[in-house]
Amino acid sequence: MNLTEWARAQSIHVTTAYRWYREGNLPVPARKAGRLILVSPDAAVAPSPAGRADLYARVSSHDQKADLDRQVARLTTWAADAGGQVTLGERAPFGSLVDVTASGFLDRQSLIRRSGSTRFVLWPRRTASGIDENYTMVLVYTSGGVESPSPGTSPLRRLRLGTTQVSLVPSPEIQQDGQAREAHEAAVATLNAAVAGRVVYAVAPSRPQTGIAFDTRVDPKEGLCASDSRVLAFTSLTLQSSEIVGGELVFCGLSSARTSTVTHELGHTFGLQHSPDERDLMSAVYQPGFSRTAFSASETLTMSLMMERRGGNRFPDNDRDLPATATSTLTIVCR
C-alpha cells in the first residue's frame, strides 16, 4: 500500500506520516517508487486499543542500541482526555525526540527534557467553546506587534517558566484616579480568575526589587499614540528567549485606563496576542458599545494550555528547537 493509505488505516494524519518519512521517523519500512512512497502491507502497525493514542519517540541515547537501527521507538500512551492531556504508559529516555498524535488534537513535536517525564498536553483541533486550529494559530502564534508577520509564524511567548507572581505598578496619575485604579484592580481580578491562581497578579504601589513587574502610565504624546489617533493603548514586553520578564502598558488617554482595555493589555502581558473572534476580550479591534469584561471560555482554556508549553514553541506545537538566550522587546498596539 502507499503511504497515504497506510496513514489512513492507522488513523494518522497524512501530513504527519509524510513528515515522519522525510525525517526518518516512520515506524515501518518504506521505499520510494517513482512519485509514490510504498509501505509493505504486512508492516502496518495495528491500531491502538480503544481509549489509547500513539506516541513515537526517536531515541538518541547510545544505550538504546536495539532502537538505533530505526531511530524510532513506539510507545503506548493513555488517550488524551478532554483537556488534551496524554500520559505515557512507559518512560522514554532523557533527550528522546517525540511525536504525539491523538484524534481530535494537533500533533505535538517535543523531546524528553526531564528524566521520568511522561506527560504531554495537546492543542485541541476543535472545542464547543469555539477553539479551532486557526484560533490557536492567531491568538498564540501570530504576533500583534507593530510589524505583524504572517499568521502562525511567531513563537509562543509566555511568562517566564516558574513565575507565580506578577506586579502591576500604576503611575501616580493612575493611582490617584479612582476609576483608573478600579479598572486596574478589576483587570487583575479577572486575569487571576481566568488562570485559576496558577499565576497571581497584584496591583502594587511601587516596583518590587525582584520578580516580574509591568509599569502602567498614560502618555498621549508617546510616539505610537501621537502618530495614530485610533490607538487606545500599547503593551511593550521585555523578552528573554520568548519568555516574558517584564514591560510596560501605555494608555493614550486616561479614558482608556478606566475601561476593560486594561484587562485586554494585561492579557498581552500573559502572552496572548489578538483573538480572531470579535466577541473575545482579546479581539484585535475595540468596538464601542460592545462590552467585554471577562475572558471567554476559549481564551481561558488557551491560557491554561499555554502554561503547559515553553516559550519559543512553534505552531502547530513544536518545542524541540528553542531559541538561545537573547533579550528583545515586542510592542503590541491596540486600537
Side-chain angles (χ1 to χ4, degrees), residues 13 16 102-107 123-127 131-133:
H13 196 283
T16 299
S103 177
F105 297 89
L106 300 183
D107 295 348
W123 288 116
R125 289 193 180 275
R126 187 174 297 277
T127 68
I131 290 179
D132 59 19
E133 191 167 341

Side-chain angles (χ1 to χ4, degrees), residues 101-144:
T101 66
S103 177
F105 297 89
L106 300 183
D107 295 348
R108 181 162 187 179
Q109 294 177 280
S110 189
L111 57 83
I112 303 298
R113 289 187 169 86
R114 291 182 302 152
S115 297
S117 178
T118 61
R119 178 175 171 272
F120 294 88
V121 179
L122 311 181
W123 288 116
R125 289 193 180 275
R126 187 174 297 277
T127 68
S129 67
I131 290 179
D132 59 19
E133 191 167 341
N134 181 70
Y135 185 92
T136 301
M137 178 178 68
V138 174
L139 184 57
V140 179
Y141 298 98
T142 301
S143 173

Side-chain angles (χ1 to χ4, degrees), residues 41-76:
D42 57 2
V45 180
S48 298
R52 292 179 179 258
D54 291 326
L55 178 144
Y56 293 84
R58 186 165 79 178
V59 181
S60 57
S61 55
H62 292 289
D63 60 345
Q64 301 293 316
K65 292 182 180 179
D67 290 313
L68 286 175
D69 290 338
R70 289 190 307 164
Q71 289 289 297
V72 174
R74 182 173 182 274
L75 305 176
T76 302

Side-chain angles (χ1 to χ4, degrees), residues 2 76 180 194 208 213 267 320:
N2 62 40
T76 302
R320 286 178 178 170

